[in-house]
Amino acid sequence: MENENFEQRTDLSKLSSAVEKIKATLSKIIVGQQQVIDLVIAGILADGHILIEGVPGVAKTLTAKLIAKAVDVKYSRIQFTPDLMPSDVLGTPVFNPQTAGFEFKRGPIFGNIILIDEINRAPAKTQSALFEVMEERQVTMDSHTYKMEEPFIVLATQNPVEQEGTYRLPEAQLDRFLFKIEIKYPSLEEEITIVTQQHQQKTADQLNDIKPVLAGADIIALRQQVRALYVEPKILAFAAQIIHETRNNRSIYLGGSPRASLAIVNAAKAIAAINGRDFVTPDDIILVAAPVLRHRIMLTPDKEMEGVLPDDVIAQIIQKIEIPR
């Protein structure tokens, strides 16, 4: 009886309904990739930015565009290239002859859902333009500060195998992404479904049929619900211990920062809410550990040469820690 009352402290019916609407919208075009969709939705509910990585053709950009279509907010897309300048992203002062003064012309970063395609094709100078806006949700230009309108979400894509013409993202920028989501190849059954759906598609642009199911105000309200979810002290300690162990592991050169501890808890809250619970379990922490940490930790050179992956080390760390029950 006590557990039943515990589960019903917060009414998550509106949140569950919103999640189902988004999933139904994405499943009209995206085949499979259920965990990817859950993590993208969790990232939005946790008020985080998302980095999506995968080989060409696995629907990285399409997933981001579908999310933007499903929410009735201002959407902006920026294609990162080697010659892109910070002013191309943030905006620039423009002279107005009528007022004989300069006026700030806002760049494409001023929106609600921002898709940055192939983010690792721009050099460090352009990447640095994102530091302030991703963390502080504002742009400072000529001593003036321009606040971003909420919700503000950066969905960035990158290709893991194309090295020519790409740049490694700075650690400080990677740390600003809540998740790094890896999209894998579909299974044979899923690929058959993809080909069949495309063959039967009567219109050239599938996105034209997608209608918004949520407003920006809905996202803000759902985020407040997620923030209010209950987390037991022992669960908080479990999350902090995982991050602490990344700083004391022989296989890791650079461990997670306190920002990673906050990220893993916020992400776990969002996963719990998606699953209809107003409390976080250890399984929620374990589920989000890899996407929260895989881009934040750096392995030692010898481990990289051995082909060890960050996910492998993260799994080993979790296995060594006593899971609270």
Side-chain angles (χ1 to χ4, degrees), residues 92-113:
T92 185
V94 177
F95 183 73
N96 187 340
Q98 296 179 345
T99 61
F102 285 89
E103 296 179 356
F104 179 62
K105 183 179 179 181
R106 300 188 176 203
I109 198 68
F110 285 88
N112 298 112
I113 296 181

Side-chain angles (χ1 to χ4, degrees), residues 45-172:
L45 294 177
D47 196 8
H49 306 299
I50 302 165
L51 179 63
I52 305 174
E53 182 179 272
V55 297
V58 291
K60 301 186 301 295
T61 303
L62 179 60
T63 301
K65 290 173 69 175
L66 279 170
I67 288 290
K69 276 275 189 177
V71 184
D72 188 15
V73 293
K74 184 180 178 182
Y75 164 70
S76 182
R77 174 173 176 169
I78 312 171
Q79 185 70 45
F80 269 32
T81 57
D83 60 347
L84 196 73
M85 299 296 290
S87 58
D88 297 327
V89 176
L90 303 178
T92 185
V94 177
F95 183 73
N96 187 340
Q98 296 179 345
T99 61
F102 285 89
E103 296 179 356
F104 179 62
K105 183 179 179 181
R106 300 188 176 203
I109 198 68
F110 285 88
N112 298 112
I113 296 181
I114 314 299
L115 168 58
I116 301 179
D117 211 7
E118 296 187 301
I119 189 172
N120 56 342
R121 287 200 177 277
K125 184 177 182 180
T126 305
Q127 302 292 350
S128 64
L130 297 174
F131 284 15
E132 180 185 16
V133 70
M134 288 182 67
E135 178 63 20
E136 301 174 43
R137 314 297 171 96
Q138 66 182 32
V139 170
T140 303
M141 190 71 64
D142 292 337
S143 301
H144 294 284
T145 299
Y146 303 90
K147 295 287 185 180
M148 308 305 291
E149 181 184 343
E150 293 293 338
F152 176 69
I153 308 158
V154 173
L155 301 174
T157 70
Q158 71 173 13
N159 189 325
V161 295
E162 275 185 16
Q163 298 300 321
E164 188 174 351
T166 61
Y167 301 84
R168 179 181 174 86
L169 298 183
E171 283 75 21

Side-chain angles (χ1 to χ4, degrees), residues 121-297:
R121 287 200 177 277
K125 184 177 182 180
T126 305
Q127 302 292 350
S128 64
L130 297 174
F131 284 15
E132 180 185 16
V133 70
M134 288 182 67
E135 178 63 20
E136 301 174 43
R137 314 297 171 96
Q138 66 182 32
V139 170
T140 303
M141 190 71 64
D142 292 337
S143 301
H144 294 284
T145 299
Y146 303 90
K147 295 287 185 180
M148 308 305 291
E149 181 184 343
E150 293 293 338
F152 176 69
I153 308 158
V154 173
L155 301 174
T157 70
Q158 71 173 13
N159 189 325
V161 295
E162 275 185 16
Q163 298 300 321
E164 188 174 351
T166 61
Y167 301 84
R168 179 181 174 86
L169 298 183
E171 283 75 21
Q173 183 182 3
L174 287 170
D175 201 35
R176 283 162 166 77
F177 285 103
L178 176 71
F179 288 145
K180 178 183 176 183
I181 302 174
E182 295 180 341
I183 298 185
K184 307 295 184 182
Y185 283 120
S187 65
L188 176 59
E189 292 76 14
E190 290 171 344
E191 193 146 0
I192 291 172
T193 304
I194 292 169
V195 174
T196 303
Q197 286 185 356
Q198 185 66 31
H199 171 66
Q200 296 173 347
Q201 183 70 30
K202 296 180 180 179
T203 57
D205 189 358
Q206 304 174 70
L207 293 177
N208 286 337
D209 299 329
I210 302 300
K211 304 299 180 185
V213 295
L214 289 177
D218 296 328
I219 297 294
I220 295 172
L222 295 177
R223 286 176 172 177
Q224 292 174 347
Q225 270 199 308
V226 169
R227 277 194 287 268
L229 261 60
Y230 179 74
V231 186
E232 290 186 83
K234 62 182 179 181
I235 304 294
L236 294 173
F238 177 54
Q241 190 173 0
I242 292 174
I243 307 304
H244 181 76
E245 290 299 323
T246 65
R247 304 169 196 154
N248 299 280
N249 190 288
R250 293 182 178 179
S251 300
I252 298 176
Y253 173 73
L254 178 67
S257 67
R259 185 185 283 151
S261 298
L262 299 174
I264 202 169
V265 172
N266 291 334
K269 285 182 180 182
I271 290 294
I274 288 173
N275 289 303
R277 286 182 280 102
D278 68 346
F279 59 94
V280 175
T281 68
D283 289 337
D284 298 325
I285 299 289
I286 293 171
L287 178 63
V288 300
V292 165
L293 285 172
R294 62 168 62 110
H295 58 295
R296 286 183 162 94
I297 64 173

